[in-house]
Amino acid sequence: MPEPAPVSMSATLAADEAMARRRLAGEQVLSMTSGEIGLPAHPALRERLAAAADDNAYGPVPGSEALRVAAAGYWERRGLGVDPGLVVAGPGSKPLLFALLLAIGGDVVVPVPSWVSYAAQARLAGAHPVTVPTLPGEGGVPDPERLREAVTLARAAGHNPRAVVVTVPDNPTGTVASRATVLRLAAAARDLDLVIVSDEIYCDLVYDTAAPAESPARHAPERTVVTTGLTKNLALGGWRTGVARLPDSDIGRALHTRLVSIASQIWSSPTAPVQAAAAYAFAEPPEITEHVAVSRRLHETVVRAVADRFTRAGARLHPVRATSYLYPDFEPLRTHLARTHGVHGGDDLARHLTDRHGLGVLPASAFGEAPRALRIRAATSRLYGDTEEQRRAALAAPDPLGLPWIKGAVDRIADVLAALTGEVRPPSAP
């Protein structure tokens, strides 16, 4: 009997649990491990969820008509019109992505670095992840030229790459691939007959709304699946809802049939009350649009402040254009870190920051890089407060950095980095 595929705990969720245990033990910790957005649900969404509490039937496997129509309208407003019949909803974008890999079949090209679950899900699906580095400052999309080389070599070795997963904007780097790179990706995918799975859950968190992320669906519409959800733009991680936009082509229609069949065997249908709230959110009434805009400004303000602390400490950092993630590179400090702290790679660095200073971050190896890489991912999305009152104040504040709990968190990060690099800093105010 063959051995089951090895499964490790999601690095982000495992780190979150470890930080929670330390906090419960009375330690002073600052968690920057999770991508969960620490903001309250909008009151209008809570009202819709409560009003739909009696909706306890399964409902259609691909999601309610109201939700699919609303999601189609959401994409239409972004220049990606789609027939609602080619929209599939699920209990979160993560299970949708996994079901898509099952539906597509074959092996999967994964960018490096990339979100912790892409390669893991490929292995769980019985596939071989083909890793391809991204271009500097253009995370989430594998270098198209190296993609061609990697797929050619993988096929020559007997593997069967049939899909490439991309993230625009990117987790973990907070960067956005250029239009030119996305165009070259689309051409490569067409030449290599790959389905593109474009995870666009962060597309509403690009700081400059006049320069949105470029979707591969614009340039390879016949072979690009787009997924999104409400976890990031509306901070609804616990409500678990996601939607997939299938291409209007022979590829897309065949994939839709397989995806719905797989969904029927795994989750039956999305949660009905959550679908009601999600349909309202995807319709984007003014109060929801404004809430997303306010959240986006908060993310940008805090990210830029924390990025400044990392660069002052000597780390290299590509400009963050979206999300609440930072991916600093401490390579310029390698000699100092090795000599002073015994730190030789990202795993050592993350462990040192967590164990010595209570600052929870993730090493680059969690995102597919080699342990020697002196990079870490730090998420700022949990710095907005420990209570709903504080988080609402953070959203409303004209200067969030002036709020004592956010200022305290940013100052503590600066203190930790000063201790790491040997910089002499005056003590932070208590």
Side-chain angles (χ1 to χ4, degrees):
M1 182 175 179
E3 290 294 317
V7 184
S8 58
M9 181 75 169
S10 162
T12 51
L13 300 182
D16 277 357
E17 290 186 5
M19 296 302 289
R21 287 193 296 270
R22 295 179 66 150
R23 187 177 289 109
L24 286 173
E27 296 183 42
Q28 294 296 312
V29 298
L30 186 63
S31 180
M32 301 184 75
T33 54
S34 173
E36 181 168 0
I37 307 297
L39 292 172
H42 192 280
L45 297 176
R46 293 190 290 188
E47 291 169 8
R48 265 68 184 181
L49 183 70
D54 289 335
D55 293 347
N56 60 342
Y58 285 120
V61 173
S64 70
E65 182 179 5
L67 174 54
R68 289 183 288 109
V69 168
Y74 170 91
W75 276 307
E76 175 73 35
R77 289 186 291 277
R78 287 155 180 78
L80 299 175
V82 64
D83 185 329
L86 289 171
V87 174
V88 177
S93 60
K94 183 184 281 190
L96 262 179
L97 286 163
F98 181 56
L100 278 163
L101 297 186
L102 291 173
I104 297 167
D107 298 319
V108 186
V109 178
V110 178
V112 176
S114 65
W115 179 52
V116 299
S117 291
Y118 294 145
Q121 286 192 348
R123 294 187 186 98
L124 284 173
H128 171 70
V130 178
T131 57
V132 178
T134 61
L135 292 166
E138 296 192 52
V141 174
D143 178 343
E145 276 61 52
R146 297 180 73 171
L147 166 68
R148 290 178 183 272
E149 296 170 5
V151 170
T152 300
L153 289 172
R155 287 174 174 166
H159 296 294
N160 182 27
R162 294 177 62 181
V164 53
V165 180
V166 303
T167 318
V168 284
D170 182 43
N171 169 12
T173 67
T175 60
V176 182
S178 69
R179 183 176 186 273
T181 295
V182 174
L183 275 166
R184 289 188 291 124
L185 167 77
R190 187 173 286 117
D191 292 344
L192 296 166
D193 194 22
L194 298 175
V195 174
I196 302 172
V197 179
S198 185
D199 182 352
E200 300 183 12
I201 199 164
Y202 297 98
C203 76
D204 293 336
L205 297 184
V206 178
Y207 305 147
D208 183 359
T209 56
E214 191 78 12
S215 174
R218 293 180 178 274
H219 309 293
E222 81 287 356
R223 62 184 59 252
T224 300
V225 181
V226 178
T227 66
T228 192
L230 304 176
T231 300
K232 307 303 178 183
N233 63 347
L234 287 169
L236 299 178
W239 291 17
R240 308 312 302 142
T241 185
V243 287
R245 173 195 181 275
L246 282 296
D248 187 3
S249 64
D250 290 343
I251 292 172
R253 284 183 285 276
L255 189 53
H256 179 273
T257 298
R258 291 195 294 273
L259 178 60
V260 172
S261 296
I262 289 167
S264 75
Q265 300 290 359
I266 298 178
W267 61 74
S268 299
S269 64
T271 307
V274 173
Q275 289 189 75
Y280 179 80
F282 279 119
E284 298 184 292
E287 64 271 23
I288 296 301
T289 302
E290 176 60 21
H291 184 71
V292 172
V294 170
S295 302
R296 185 169 53 239
R297 288 193 292 270
L298 174 61
H299 297 323
E300 180 180 11
T301 299
V302 177
V303 160
R304 294 202 186 287
V306 176
D308 176 69
R309 283 14 177 222
F310 277 109
T311 55
R312 285 188 193 182
R316 291 195 297 245
L317 192 63
H318 291 290
V320 178
R321 291 184 50 205
T323 78
S324 52
Y325 300 128
L326 299 161
Y327 202 65
D329 185 354
F330 285 80
E331 184 62 34
L333 299 168
R334 179 176 290 278
T335 301
H336 169 79
L337 294 177
R339 183 178 62 245
T340 307
H341 303 294
V343 167
H344 301 280
D347 289 27
D348 291 341
L349 180 56
R351 191 178 305 113
H352 177 84
L353 292 173
T354 301
D355 293 347
R356 183 73 176 269
H357 300 285
L359 181 64
V361 296
L362 289 174
S365 61
F367 304 94
E369 297 211 66
R372 176 176 168 78
L374 261 173
R375 289 180 280 277
I376 57 172
R377 193 200 71 176
T380 61
S381 52
R382 299 289 285 274
L383 305 184
Y384 307 142
D386 295 327
T387 66
E388 183 160 324
E389 181 182 13
Q390 287 183 339
R391 293 164 182 163
R392 289 196 181 282
L395 281 171
D399 178 19
L401 299 174
L403 296 173
W405 56 92
I406 295 180
K407 181 180 185 302
V410 174
D411 285 348
R412 182 173 176 188
I413 293 165
D415 289 344
V416 169
L417 293 173
L420 183 72
T421 63
E423 178 191 356
V424 176
R425 274 176 51 86
S428 300

